[in-house]
Amino acid sequence: MRINVTLHSGLRSRLPPELQGQTAIELPEGSTLADLAGRLRMKDMLYAVGGSVEREWTRPLRDQDEVDVFVRAAGG
Amino acid sequence: MPNSYNGRILHVDLTQGKTWVEEPPEAFYRTYGGGSAMGLHYILHEVPAGIDALSPENVLTLFVGVPTGMPISGQSRVMVNAKSPLTGAIGDAQAGGFWPAELKFAGFDGIVVRGKSPQPTYLWIHDGKAELRDAGHLWGKLTGQVEDQLKKDLEDDRIQVLQIGPAGEKLSRIACIINFCNRANGRTGMGAVMGSKNLKAVAVRGTRKLKAADPKVFTKLAKLGRENFEAIPDVNGLGIHGTANGVPVQNATGTLPTRNWNEGQFEGFQSISGETMSATILKERDTCYGCMVRCKRVVETEFAGTPVVPQYGGPEYETVSTMGSYCGVADLHAIALANQICNQYGLDTIGAGATVAFAMECFENGLITEKDTGGIQLKFGNAEALVRMLEMMGKREGFGDILAEGSERAAKRIGKHASDYLITVKGSEAPAHMPHAKKSLSIIYAVNPFGADHQSHEHDPCYEEGGLPIYYKRMAMIGLDKPQPPGSMNEEKVRLTYVTQLFFSALDSYGLCQFVWGPSWELYGPDDMIEMLRAATGWDITLDEFMRVGERRLNMMRAFNAREGFDRKADVLPKKFSKPLQGTGPTAGVFFDPKENARWRDVYYRMAGWDAHTGNPDRKKLASLGLDWIRL
């Protein structure tokens, strides 16, 4: 399945080399948010699915899910 | 000359038209570190209790820090204090820019301003000298015009100008002080205090070289800063996309105040984010003196036929949110113009944006009509109405005259149930961070001596599980070694609030930027900071001593408020917070129980060593901090 990933705050430049330039990540059916974070190698970041923050790493992802990845410190 | 500072404080009596220089001993600098704590020393000694904040008896202090002007990021800060005309409590506001370092190069560590000039005046400080000059030709002018004129008058393009705009001249209680035309000492109406003294501007220029005790450390830390900027994504994102970088994550967590805090998610968030700004209207990234983070924005665009020009910088997160989601406005060009209007007229963007949002809710609910607003449809989302109303506030014309007093006084004028729509603590409008998910904000907003403030402690995400290892490594240095579950509220979160409040309070004394020096995600950690302060001053300063300075400042503020009759009864959240949030996202339905908040405040007062009944320090507590000279 394809997960559409938006990386905020310049995180795009931190993607592993094999994922550079990609906005969608291919994952096997039944993959979870933890699997995505592992693929991105960004387990310390904050994730949102469908526009709202998601803290359950075991949450199953679905094809075409929209996932945002953020740093935690914000604003000022 | 001491290391890193001048040992000279400029005193000004505007009534008498006199200036003189004080040269305090090293112990004075070591006790306060500079900044806000040093200013409070003079205010507590000289300002009688119960005065009108806009009277000549008020004392306005502008202090930089002991390390200001050193060759390192995040040191060029000016802290302004006086009794606040907005709240009646202590006023406090900080700004960056180039003016703070230039004041040091001009030979001074701070300025204490008393009295009232019989006519508009400005202060010209250059290479150890100070003189008062006529400002009749500057009065009534916009900040950009004043800056250009002063550079022409003084025949030097490199002078730095700190000033008030027309809003400060007209004593708007949400007027700010601006330097560089776009760096604001925004909060608590310090611009009105300066206006009440007929002091239009302080121009500075200096060539003095500051001496560091150990210059090699600065070279080492500069290298570390470059490495950390690449390694820590939070500070990297801040530098690249500015503070408005935070808009999308605030929205995702349900903490982006929307339509006067009725909701925590805004459907138009993407069009007002820092990333969108970078991709559309950003002309360049800007900086403060000596800082490599470069989080400041310079934008160029237009809205409704009015150009937005680079001289006025660009909107910060707070401005984007208070003018944007807070007002339901999703137009970044309009927000950029709103920012420019505030910087031209010298209005605090948080206070002004939040006050317009409050008025919009009054309009939506029929408490005010087009008859009141002069024909303006002051509805949520109406970008043209926002910018028109801000201009009227800056000029104090029509309904803008009422809103220029801030939302609490406007609510009294509007009457009916307008006060139900207020988002204020101690009369000061809340910034654009919501405690509905970042729960420790529910404590700091209530207890902070100068009203709800987002820069007075470290926010929850940096002390919640799942973050970067560096957060926890640094937090542990100040004794915070038990990261909590996301969204939780408990005694450890109160400890987060109190301990990091002391840390941030010290930053505002030593004059250090909270995006560069901090206890978690910032460019440098507490250990680097102490190394830097030692290298600057030659003092054997420790983290304990640093925290003690922060505690001293906090207790001085609280003691000032106690003299003005404030106690824990003023430490309350806005009434609206006890209603469930509407809208979508993780905070929909969340509300605050005032009784529960009072229980957490009990814990906070206990940690602070304050009287549980009053929420204030007693004589014994003050004496423990060397503040037994304060008369309560």
Side-chain angles (χ1 to χ4, degrees):
Chain A
M1 60 184 180
R2 282 170 71 85
I3 308 299
N4 299 312
V5 178
T6 304
L7 295 146
H8 296 270
S9 311
L11 287 176
R12 180 151 296 287
S13 64
R14 291 167 195 269
L15 276 173
E18 70 275 16
L19 298 180
Q20 281 290 335
Q22 294 188 28
T23 54
I25 304 294
E26 292 285 347
L27 289 174
E29 288 294 330
S31 294
T32 64
L33 196 56
D35 296 325
L36 175 65
R39 175 71 75 85
L40 298 173
R41 286 181 227 156
M42 293 185 189
K43 288 194 168 174
D44 301 327
M45 300 299 144
L46 199 60
Y47 285 74
V49 181
S52 288
V53 71
E54 178 58 67
R55 300 184 193 278
E56 287 299 329
W57 290 111
T58 54
R59 173 182 170 141
L61 294 173
R62 294 187 191 131
D63 188 40
Q64 299 302 325
D65 263 349
E66 300 285 337
V67 175
D68 290 85
V69 189
F70 306 102
V71 299
R72 286 162 193 265
Chain B
M1 184 175 149
N3 291 315
S4 83
Y5 62 96
N6 292 295
R8 299 172 85 240
I9 290 166
L10 178 65
H11 291 267
V12 181
D13 184 333
L14 291 169
T15 307
Q16 302 290 325
K18 281 186 193 165
T19 65
W20 67 97
V21 177
E22 179 193 6
E23 297 187 5
E26 185 181 35
F28 182 74
Y29 284 83
R30 189 112 185 216
T31 300
Y32 298 115
S36 181
M38 205 169 267
L40 288 162
H41 169 90
Y42 292 98
I43 289 167
L44 278 159
H45 272 97
E46 297 188 28
V47 176
I51 59 151
D52 177 353
L54 298 177
S55 73
E57 290 171 290
N58 205 356
V59 173
L60 179 74
T61 59
L62 305 97
F63 274 83
V64 299
V66 159
T68 302
M70 288 282 102
I72 192 78
S73 296
Q75 41 57 42
S76 186
R77 306 282 297 169
V78 55
M79 279 58 61
V80 176
N81 295 90
K83 179 174 179 177
S84 166
L86 184 67
T87 66
I90 189 66
D92 183 278
Q94 305 98 34
F98 293 81
W99 188 95
E102 197 71 26
L103 181 71
K104 285 288 269 292
F105 304 149
F108 296 100
D109 306 315
I111 310 170
V112 183
V113 183
R114 304 168 181 82
K116 178 182 181 178
S117 171
Q119 63 279 315
T121 189
Y122 78 91
L123 185 59
W124 168 222
I125 300 170
H126 51 106
D127 281 327
K129 297 179 195 134
E131 55 189 293
L132 289 164
R133 290 191 170 191
D134 177 58
H137 64 306
L138 305 174
W139 206 252
K141 289 201 158 60
L142 301 177
T143 55
Q145 296 168 326
V146 169
E147 180 146 324
D148 292 347
Q149 186 65 47
L150 277 174
K151 286 180 174 173
K152 203 170 149 193
D153 290 352
L154 298 167
E155 298 177 340
D156 188 347
D157 270 351
R158 297 181 69 183
I159 64 162
Q160 293 297 324
V161 179
L162 173 147
Q163 58 172 313
I164 55 167
E169 295 172 11
K170 292 174 189 286
L171 309 181
S172 163
R173 292 176 198 268
I174 51 172
C176 65
I177 296 172
I178 289 259
N179 78 80
F180 206 55
C181 290
N182 56 58
R183 311 299 161 90
N185 292 95
R187 311 302 331 264
T188 65
M190 295 296 93
V193 176
M194 195 160 150
S196 74
K197 298 185 174 305
N198 274 335
L199 180 61
K200 178 67 176 171
V202 183
V204 296
R205 181 78 174 97
T207 53
R208 187 171 287 202
K209 298 235 180 312
L210 299 170
K211 194 174 61 170
D214 188 351
K216 291 192 299 296
V217 169
F218 288 90
T219 310
K220 188 190 92 172
L221 286 175
K223 181 171 177 286
L224 177 66
R226 288 192 293 276
E227 290 165 4
N228 283 352
F229 187 73
E230 296 306 321
I232 305 172
D234 307 68
V235 73
N236 185 271
L238 172 80
I240 292 171
H241 295 299
T243 50
N245 178 47
V247 169
V249 68
Q250 295 281 78
N251 192 69
T253 50
T255 58
L256 186 65
T258 299
R259 288 174 278 273
N260 201 33
W261 291 61
N262 286 324
E263 301 155 67
Q265 284 192 328
F266 181 44
E267 66 282 358
F269 79 94
Q270 276 177 326
S271 54
I272 63 171
S273 74
E275 286 155 314
T276 300
M277 199 188 307
S278 295
T280 56
I281 63 174
L282 185 74
K283 186 175 164 59
E284 60 182 309
R285 286 166 60 195
D286 201 1
T287 187
C288 298
Y289 173 80
C291 187
M292 62 152 295
V293 175
R294 297 173 65 218
C295 68
K296 311 308 291 184
R297 306 289 97 175
V298 177
V299 301
E300 192 168 26
T301 183
E302 63 94 25
F303 178 75
T306 304
V308 176
V309 299
Q311 186 176 27
Y312 295 103
E316 298 285 344
Y317 167 78
E318 285 300 329
T319 311
V320 158
S321 303
T322 50
M323 304 295 174
S325 58
Y326 226 122
C327 290
V329 169
D331 188 323
L332 193 53
H333 309 279
I335 291 166
L337 178 57
N339 179 66
Q340 175 168 292
I341 292 167
C342 287
N343 287 353
Q344 286 174 316
Y345 285 89
L347 284 167
D348 168 29
T349 58
I350 297 176
T355 298
V356 172
F358 154 81
M360 284 175 163
E361 189 159 18
C362 289
F363 191 95
E364 297 267 0
N365 287 283
L367 274 64
I368 52 174
T369 67
E370 282 179 66
K371 259 188 181 171
D372 301 295
T373 62
I376 295 174
Q377 284 272 319
L378 202 56
K379 288 185 169 177
F380 285 128
N382 187 342
E384 289 200 22
L386 166 69
V387 296
R388 282 182 65 194
M389 193 51 70
L390 288 171
E391 197 149 7
M392 289 166 70
M393 289 163 72
K395 293 177 177 170
R396 299 207 67 156
E397 287 178 358
F399 194 65
D401 183 47
I402 292 170
L403 297 187
E405 287 285 275
S407 55
E408 279 214 0
R409 284 173 176 81
K412 283 187 184 135
R413 287 286 295 274
I414 293 166
K416 301 167 203 164
H417 59 281
S419 62
D420 291 350
Y421 304 137
L422 288 170
I423 307 292
T424 53
V425 179
K426 300 183 179 72
S428 181
E429 290 77 17
H433 293 262
M434 300 177 78
H436 300 72
K438 298 194 280 190
K439 297 285 172 61
S440 69
L441 283 165
S442 68
I443 302 301
I444 201 75
Y445 276 6
V447 301
N448 194 54
F450 51 93
D453 184 59
H454 59 296
Q455 294 287 106
S456 287
H457 88 310
E458 191 68 274
H459 293 194
D460 303 53
C462 299
Y463 197 49
E464 289 179 340
E465 293 152 356
L468 289 168
I470 196 163
Y471 297 168
Y472 311 127
K473 184 182 163 199
R474 288 175 171 178
M475 283 290 202
M477 293 176 192
I478 54 172
L480 292 167
D481 55 2
K482 298 178 189 68
Q484 296 298 298
S488 58
M489 185 62 210
N490 51 42
E491 187 152 334
E492 187 62 14
K493 282 289 187 79
V494 181
R495 211 163 71 82
L496 163 74
T497 309
Y498 177 63
V499 173
T500 60
Q501 185 184 22
L502 298 187
F503 192 98
F504 280 44
S505 177
L507 290 175
D508 289 340
S509 301
Y510 290 93
L512 294 171
C513 175
Q514 300 172 359
F515 297 155
V516 174
W517 306 94
S520 62
W521 61 271
E522 296 83 359
L523 191 67
Y524 295 110
D527 50 345
D528 308 317
M529 183 187 64
I530 296 302
E531 188 179 11
M532 184 275 289
L533 287 172
R534 285 177 167 224
T537 59
W539 299 340
D540 57 351
I541 183 171
T542 62
L543 194 49
D544 282 347
E545 180 178 333
F546 176 85
M547 297 292 277
R548 191 89 167 146
V549 167
E551 187 178 9
R552 194 169 286 125
R553 170 181 174 269
L554 178 62
N555 279 269
M556 290 165 90
M557 289 183 149
R558 203 74 191 187
F560 180 93
N561 287 0
R563 289 190 338 180
E564 300 294 328
F566 284 82
D567 61 20
R568 64 174 295 164
K569 290 196 286 294
D571 292 347
V572 288
L573 295 173
K575 202 162 38 173
K576 203 171 181 181
F577 284 17
S578 57
K579 287 188 177 169
L581 270 185
Q582 301 163 28
T584 57
T587 54
V590 174
F591 64 97
F592 289 91
D593 173 1
K595 284 183 184 160
E596 189 190 344
N597 185 256
R599 283 198 296 276
W600 292 127
R601 281 188 284 121
D602 285 340
V603 176
Y604 171 90
Y605 300 135
R606 194 185 70 225
M607 285 179 186
W610 296 343
D611 182 282
H613 298 291
T614 64
N616 287 329
D618 58 18
R619 293 197 61 77
K620 195 174 155 198
K621 176 68 190 180
L622 293 176
S624 74
L625 294 163
L627 300 172
D628 43 348
W629 51 268
I630 296 177
R631 276 168 287 174
L632 285 173

